[in-house]
Amino acid sequence: MHRDPSRTANLIHLLFGVAGIAMARAASTARTFLIGGGVIYLALWVYGLVIDQDSGANFVPLNNADNWLHLVLGLAMTALGINADPPRPADHRPVTEET
């Protein structure tokens, strides 16, 4: 059975989008998504640099444009996740009336 490489790439992007939307509900999981997703994109960038683009190992498929996209996305997502403010606990001081 022959698998269409563009379908594989589209499925990966769709799963990334679904995961991003699901993890955006809380600041801590959004940070995790940004850092984790950034690391995955950087790994794809490295993978795209070291494989032969005409070989069977290029199953996604990756080309020079994909490599640049993965580098920029990986750096941006990782930087945003690292530099995002960590979630702060709510301030639970008792409310007092001033007279």
Side-chain angles (χ1 to χ4, degrees), residues 14 29-30 43 54 70 91-92:
L14 180 65
T29 55
D54 297 321
H70 294 148
D91 187 7
H92 293 292

Side-chain angles (χ1 to χ4, degrees), residues 85-99:
D85 288 335
R88 296 181 187 152
D91 187 7
H92 293 292
R93 288 183 288 175
V95 177
T96 58
E97 287 187 31
E98 291 184 33
T99 55

Side-chain angles (χ1 to χ4, degrees), residues 44-63:
L44 279 171
W45 170 64
V46 170
Y47 181 74
L49 292 177
V50 299
I51 63 161
D52 179 8
Q53 293 182 0
D54 297 321
S55 74
N58 190 9
F59 65 95
V60 174
L62 301 173
N63 59 33

Side-chain angles (χ1 to χ4, degrees), residues 59-74:
F59 65 95
V60 174
L62 301 173
N63 59 33
N64 285 335
D66 293 316
N67 290 340
W68 282 105
L69 175 67
H70 294 148
L71 173 62
V72 171
L73 281 173

